[in-house]
Amino acid sequence: MTLPADDRLIVAMDVPNVVAGLQLADQLGDSVSFYKIGLGMLTGGGLALANELKQERGKRIFLDMKFFDIGATVEAAVRGIAQYDLDFLTVHGDPYVVKAAKEGAAGTDLKILAVTILTSLDRDDLNGAMVKDGLIPDLVQERAGRAMEAGADGVISSPQEAGLIRALPQADGKLIVTPGVRPVGADLGDQKRVTTPAQAIANGADHVVVGRPVWRAENPLEATQSILSEMASPQAESPNR
């Protein structure tokens, strides 16, 4: 039996260009309703692909640009993106960046998601970047709380920290979107703080982002169906709801 699309699953289109993106969308068909298009696709026609998937195929779109600049520039960039009628946009979680992004998105349905700490980073990476001392879960929770207080519609975090964020009073009514999700047995790649799709949902995530396990699969549709099955399992029931 073919499982229907589940909006909680966002497939990352980390492919080279529009042609490859449309080919993947054709393969996945009605099994996927939500796609992420990131910075790596920008010069490969990422905005054109976003428009095609949104306007012509009725898909939801998460534009993962992770904007970070002075407030006026962030506001202007977000205002430009907002005209495309997309669904999610990421910015860095610094409160001034979040506030500027919300100004740029004013009057639209575009959700601003704040990046906490990238799921490819561990404590050694943070030390090299001169980020203050502390355990990553504590830093993520603090950063998420401040971003949501600044007006973020939600946050991006490792699925390992989703439960901590969901427990914050500031998280009421906010979205938690978790990359760093790998099905059982999948290669971790460059991700360091990961869980399975079912565990991410159980931890309190509203959406999970899966890329390489889908588009690198010999059969992307079959890989997607396996993820959908896992997300529909009892293991994905969240005690935080």
Side-chain angles (χ1 to χ4, degrees), residues 11 15 54 69 79 116 129 131 141 176 195 212 228 230 232:
V11 171
V15 293
K54 177 75 176 185
D69 211 311
R79 185 173 293 113
T116 54
V131 174
Q141 188 180 43
I176 298 176
T195 68
R212 278 164 284 194
L228 290 172
E230 184 177 339

Side-chain angles (χ1 to χ4, degrees), residues 107-131:
T108 74
D109 293 327
L110 181 64
K111 302 293 187 187
I112 300 299
L113 304 180
V115 175
T116 54
I117 294 176
L118 298 176
T119 53
S120 61
L121 303 182
D122 58 20
R123 186 62 251 185
D124 286 342
D125 297 313
L126 299 187
N127 292 342
M130 297 185 292
V131 174

Side-chain angles (χ1 to χ4, degrees), residues 65-84 89-92 94-108 110 112:
M65 295 288 108
K66 300 183 180 71
F67 287 149
F68 180 68
D69 211 311
I70 64 170
T73 299
V74 170
E75 182 179 343
V78 173
R79 185 173 293 113
I81 292 295
Q83 68 182 325
Y84 289 94
L89 174 69
T90 49
V91 302
H92 275 261
D94 305 60
Y96 83 90
V97 174
V98 172
K99 290 176 182 176
K102 286 295 292 180
E103 286 293 324
T108 74
L110 181 64
I112 300 299

Side-chain angles (χ1 to χ4, degrees), residues 24 72 105 135 142 148 188:
L24 179 61
L135 298 175
E142 180 182 1
M148 291 185 290
L188 299 186

